[in-house]
Amino acid sequence: MRRPPVFSSALLRLSLLALSALLLSGCINDRASYQANGREQALVLSRDQAWFWQKTVEVAVVVSRLPECQRRHEMHPAAIKGFKVELWQPGSGTYVLRQGNTLYLTETQTCEGFRELEEDPPGGLGRMVGSFRQVSGKLAFVPEPAPTPVTEPAGASTGSAPAKATDSR
């Protein structure tokens, strides 16, 4: 008499599916976006980890100005721990991404302009818009707080020298 197989093919497939889910459960596959000028212009940063044992993620940015253009640009892989990409805006529709010591210049006019910079742009990085970083285990865009205007207290000096009193005798 023949004994039935211990694992049926359906049970084997279910076991393999469960094992696959466990292996992939530690993987990172998330995105965060910065929207400029409403929803038409955006920069979407993605990070992907193929295997749970990797300590790095693949990083890319999708630059878009809808409906005219949209393009994905690959960046250098980055460490998962302490992940951060800063976003700077030196001019209208022009952005600098700083990933560690590496700078990338991109734009939303044609979405095709993307290059790694060897040094800071001639006019500087511009205004810091915010940064892409991990918040509560997920990638998020954290905007840079707007600078608070400095107001002088009532009756404070305006910086000009006080008027001298004149003697009219």
Side-chain angles (χ1 to χ4, degrees), residues 157-163:
S157 170
T158 60
S160 59

Side-chain angles (χ1 to χ4, degrees), residues 145-158:
T148 54
V150 178
T151 57
E152 301 225 4
S157 170
T158 60

Side-chain angles (χ1 to χ4, degrees), residues 101-151:
N101 293 327
T102 306
L103 297 173
Y104 299 95
L105 180 66
T106 191
E107 50 80 29
T108 56
Q109 184 60 36
T110 66
C111 302
E112 292 184 24
F114 183 82
R115 66 183 173 108
E116 189 174 330
L117 299 174
E118 294 186 17
E119 57 188 31
D120 286 1
L125 296 176
R127 166 182 79 87
M128 184 170 188
V129 178
S131 61
F132 295 94
R133 60 181 118 154
Q134 189 165 313
V135 176
S136 300
K138 289 287 184 189
L139 184 62
F141 179 76
V142 179
E144 184 70 11
T148 54
V150 178
T151 57

Side-chain angles (χ1 to χ4, degrees), residues 3-131:
R3 292 183 62 153
V6 176
F7 286 105
S8 69
S9 63
L11 186 57
L12 181 60
R13 275 189 244 135
L14 185 60
S15 298
L16 288 174
L17 184 61
L19 181 61
S20 296
L22 285 174
L23 288 175
L24 295 175
S25 66
C27 295
I28 296 171
N29 183 352
D30 54 5
R31 280 122 188 73
S33 66
Y34 164 72
Q35 294 180 346
N37 300 328
R39 299 172 69 112
E40 294 83 35
Q41 289 186 38
L43 280 84
V44 179
L45 195 82
S46 68
R47 60 183 192 158
D48 298 302
Q49 177 191 30
W51 305 103
F52 72 90
W53 59 80
Q54 290 177 315
K55 295 184 188 317
T56 60
V57 287
E58 298 294 321
V59 183
V61 63
V62 175
V63 180
S64 63
R65 185 173 57 84
L66 298 175
E68 286 79 16
C69 65
Q70 183 173 7
R71 173 152 263 142
R72 178 184 170 100
H73 303 288
E74 300 294 324
M75 298 168 63
H76 293 296
I80 296 169
K81 188 173 183 175
F83 182 87
K84 181 178 178 182
V85 175
E86 294 174 353
L87 181 62
W88 297 78
Q89 187 174 18
S92 178
T94 305
Y95 297 92
V96 174
L97 295 138
R98 180 171 25 202
Q99 176 188 18
N101 293 327
T102 306
L103 297 173
Y104 299 95
L105 180 66
T106 191
E107 50 80 29
T108 56
Q109 184 60 36
T110 66
C111 302
E112 292 184 24
F114 183 82
R115 66 183 173 108
E116 189 174 330
L117 299 174
E118 294 186 17
E119 57 188 31
D120 286 1
L125 296 176
R127 166 182 79 87
M128 184 170 188
V129 178
S131 61

